[in-house]
Amino acid sequence: MLELYGHVVASRLLLGTARYPSPAILAEAVHASKTDIVTVSLRREMAGSRAGGAFFELIRTLGVRVLPNTAGCHTVAEAVLTAKMAREVFATDWIKLEVIGNHDTLQPDVFALVEAARILSGEGFKVFPYTTDDLVVAEHLMEAGCQVLMPWCAPIGSAMGPVNLPALRSMRAHFPDVPLIVDAGIGRPSHAAIVMELGYDAVLLNTAVAGAADPAAMAAAFTGAIEAGHIAFRAGMLEPRDMAVPSTPVIGKAVFS
Ligand SMILES: CC(=O)[C@@H](O)[C@H](O)COP(=O)(O)O
């Protein structure tokens, strides 16, 4: 079981709700994933053609916890305002905090992120910061009040998978007791399994499921991979080695005369 800000969840997959071919397919994918938490972009939905209301109503019928996010925000002020609106709309103090710093990579502006995290934590929000794999930034986020960290493994929507495994590994080692959720850049179930095998607590993803030919089937595939990676980490995996080791012990040699 995974505990996030005192809330226990069974599923280690957090699913995004953007870019699905239709609301019905989104609902199918959420059910197939068995996720407990979906993330919803307040700005995108309110600005988009779905006009917020009907989409938010659909989300409420899914029976899962909502983690609103500040996707599309580029400044501290925008992110803080969006978080406050999300708290009203979804009646939750959880917020996935994104403050984007670069249009091409969609990488977070980590300076603004820390500042916004400090403001929101001070106002009672439970902040889930979308961050890089930088340990110093992570320390500042913890000091600003975050009790969960969400490092990227690659740019949002890139589907590249973990591009810097040593950095993710050292983040896990540096924060052994902090819930760590890989957020963004996962493209395949095998990518999710790899980060879970590092000991990560969960994975948040969107594009790889929403953009699949069959989103519900892909959601189920991710759920299986995440669970497999988590079980493997706990089971204790072998370290790779250079030389062969016979898998069948050689006790004696057969004698042929
Ligand atoms: C939905 C959401 O919050 C995204 O901003 C998130 O970072 C997921 O990234 P991918 O779409 O790459 O999975």
Side-chain angles (χ1 to χ4, degrees), residues 16 39 44 69 96 98 130 155-158 183-186 204-208:
T39 183
R44 186 161 44 214
N69 67 59
K96 177 167 119 72
E98 287 187 31
Y130 162 62
I156 293 172
S158 70
D183 174 11
I186 296 273
L204 188 153
L205 57 92
N206 189 152
T207 308

Side-chain angles (χ1 to χ4, degrees), residues 83-155:
K84 288 179 179 174
M85 288 167 63
R87 180 156 64 180
E88 297 297 316
V89 171
F90 292 107
T92 178
D93 53 9
W94 281 20
I95 191 73
K96 177 167 119 72
L97 183 60
E98 287 187 31
V99 188
I100 299 300
N102 183 283
H103 288 285
D104 294 326
T105 61
L106 297 181
Q107 70 193 85
D109 176 341
V110 293
F111 305 99
L113 181 70
V114 172
E115 192 182 335
R118 191 182 312 284
I119 293 168
L120 291 170
S121 297
E123 297 196 17
F125 282 89
K126 311 286 191 297
V127 178
F128 294 67
Y130 162 62
T131 184
T132 61
D133 49 27
D134 188 303
L135 296 185
V136 180
V137 173
E139 290 281 11
H140 282 288
L141 287 167
M142 301 293 297
E143 182 264 326
C146 299
Q147 294 175 23
V148 173
L149 295 170
M150 304 184 79
W152 68 351
C153 77

Side-chain angles (χ1 to χ4, degrees), residues 230-237:
H230 177 63
I231 294 171
F233 171 72
R234 291 177 45 147
M237 289 167 294

